[in-house]
Amino acid sequence: MESAVVPRGSEYAVLLRRVQGAGLLKRRLRYYVWKSAITAVALAAGWLVFVGVGDSWWQLGVAAFLAVVFAQIAFLGHDAGHRQIFGSRRANYVFGVLFGNLGIGVSIGWWTSNHNRHHAHPNTEGADPDVMGVLAHSGDRARASRGLRRLIFRNQAWLFFPMLLLEGWSLHFASVRAVMRWAIPHRAWEALLLAAHATGYLCAVFLVLSPVKAVAFIVVQQGLFGLYMGCTFAPNHKGMEVLTAADSRGFLRRQVLTSRNVRGGRLVDTALGGLNYQIEHHLFPSMPRPNLRRAQPLVAEFCAELGLPYCQTSLLDSYIQALRHLHSVGRLARPLT
């Protein structure tokens, strides 16, 4: 997803020229080569250990390790979907289907379509699919709820982390539904690679483990994968300003006011896949991941010049802010009777 085309004299155009002048939109192919190689080796090592351990409950430790590796693969698929890796659209797509569809069973075609709508309309009800799901992010949506949805909204702060255990399954389900029903490009190839992933994964698990251990392995691995992914997404926008479709603010202000950064060093950068620089990522979606850290002080300085609030906090505080927001919104749902 490329940055929006804007007038030369706009606020965003001024920032864009500064970023381009600093060379921060240039490809970082060497970074992605070693990052991809390390991740692929970790994936292969995880499955080799899985085969070596055999039919044992120790495999639940392997399941946890593979959940982390799956998330790291998802981050690489995310970067390919934004064309951060290669200059060619085709090369990014091929990388995306290999790491996404084949590697972890998530359709890159579905994800790119869904995620680009989020980037175009962040935290905008009726337009951003990320705020129109199982949680309520605005009082209007909470007050309009009925039945089971109302029950979930009223308890959404308490249910948030437990529900994330289902996020992995949700990604797989949405991917299968998309390749069956959506007019995504290369649908047949995407479906074939999803089927190859599912076949290889299930055959490996059920050939090595007894049925009970196999089911336990799948539940743990997929549950922790979903939890990890959800914990990565949670700090980014939850608790930030929720917009309406009628909001007329410019591109830069919409992206900054609806996004939150998470402070931290290289460990946080790696654990969150660079998404801790959410403001910079939303302003420059095609910026290679390793350049986001370098762009952060430049963007923060520019926002200070404009008097524009720039939200940056610790990882723990980001969760506190998100949960506090979900709790306050959930209380606006109609009381249960």
Side-chain angles (χ1 to χ4, degrees):
M1 174 180 169
E2 302 296 337
S3 300
V5 177
V6 293
R8 183 173 177 78
S10 73
E11 294 172 339
Y12 180 73
V14 174
L15 177 60
L16 177 60
R17 287 195 292 272
R18 294 185 187 182
V19 167
Q20 289 175 327
L24 298 177
L25 294 179
K26 293 181 180 178
R27 304 295 178 206
R28 296 286 301 275
L29 187 58
R30 182 178 298 178
Y31 167 87
Y32 281 108
V33 167
W34 71 258
K35 192 74 173 179
S36 302
I38 290 173
T39 306
V41 167
L43 179 67
W47 285 115
L48 285 173
V49 171
F50 173 82
V51 173
V53 170
D55 189 18
S56 165
W57 286 109
W58 288 107
Q59 293 285 19
L60 297 185
V62 180
F65 174 78
L66 285 174
V68 174
V69 176
F70 270 39
Q72 291 296 320
I73 293 173
F75 295 148
L76 287 168
H78 167 272
D79 292 1
H82 280 296
R83 304 178 202 166
Q84 295 177 16
I85 303 176
F86 304 103
S88 161
R89 178 196 296 263
R90 180 184 293 273
N92 281 300
Y93 178 76
V94 170
F95 184 99
V97 294
L98 290 177
F99 275 70
N101 294 58
L102 184 61
I104 60 174
V106 176
S107 164
I108 191 67
W110 162 75
W111 178 86
T112 301
S113 174
N114 195 69
H115 193 62
N116 281 356
R117 287 190 290 146
H118 159 69
H119 269 262
H121 308 282
N123 265 26
T124 304
E125 291 207 321
D128 180 359
D130 288 2
V131 298
M132 298 304 293
V134 72
L135 302 175
H137 295 268
S138 73
D140 288 343
R141 188 158 189 251
R143 282 187 287 265
S145 62
R146 297 289 186 277
L148 178 60
R149 178 162 291 182
R150 179 180 63 181
L151 178 62
I152 293 174
F153 288 173
R154 285 190 64 82
N155 297 281
Q156 61 183 7
W158 297 101
L159 293 173
F160 178 67
F161 285 109
M163 286 193 297
L164 290 183
L165 294 168
L166 302 176
E167 179 65 19
W169 300 102
S170 176
L171 293 172
H172 297 314
F173 174 76
S175 295
V176 172
R177 181 178 59 186
V179 298
M180 293 179 64
R181 299 181 181 178
W182 290 19
I184 60 176
H186 314 294
R187 213 165 99 176
W189 280 108
E190 292 224 12
L192 181 63
L193 290 173
L194 287 178
H197 168 83
T199 301
Y201 181 95
L202 293 174
C203 284
V205 171
F206 280 97
L207 285 174
V208 171
L209 301 178
S210 65
V212 172
K213 292 189 183 75
V215 170
F217 177 93
I218 293 170
V219 168
V220 170
Q221 197 270 327
Q222 292 295 323
L224 292 181
F225 167 53
L227 179 65
Y228 187 167
M229 295 304 297
C231 287
T232 300
F233 302 149
N236 301 341
H237 303 283
K238 290 175 176 59
M240 300 304 295
E241 188 169 350
V242 178
L243 308 179
T244 66
D247 193 283
S248 60
R249 278 172 285 193
F251 175 80
L252 183 142
R253 291 177 181 268
R254 290 200 314 273
Q255 302 297 340
V256 173
L257 292 173
T258 59
S259 302
R260 178 194 293 111
N261 275 17
V262 175
R263 289 191 298 267
R266 300 292 182 181
L267 179 60
V268 172
D269 291 0
T270 300
L272 300 187
L275 297 179
N276 47 314
Y277 302 106
Q278 191 67 194
I279 296 173
E280 289 70 33
H281 173 57
H282 261 256
L283 289 171
F284 307 102
S286 62
M287 180 181 288
R289 190 195 310 182
N291 288 350
L292 294 170
R293 167 181 280 271
R294 296 169 55 201
Q296 187 275 325
L298 191 155
V299 173
E301 179 184 7
F302 186 73
C303 289
E305 292 174 14
L306 297 177
L308 184 62
Y310 180 96
C311 183
Q312 185 169 235
T313 187
S314 69
L315 182 60
L316 177 60
D317 193 48
S318 71
Y319 291 130
I320 293 173
Q321 291 181 30
L323 291 174
R324 184 182 294 131
H325 172 74
L326 291 175
H327 178 68
S328 63
V329 170
R331 292 181 63 185
L332 298 176
R334 292 168 60 90
L336 303 177
T337 57

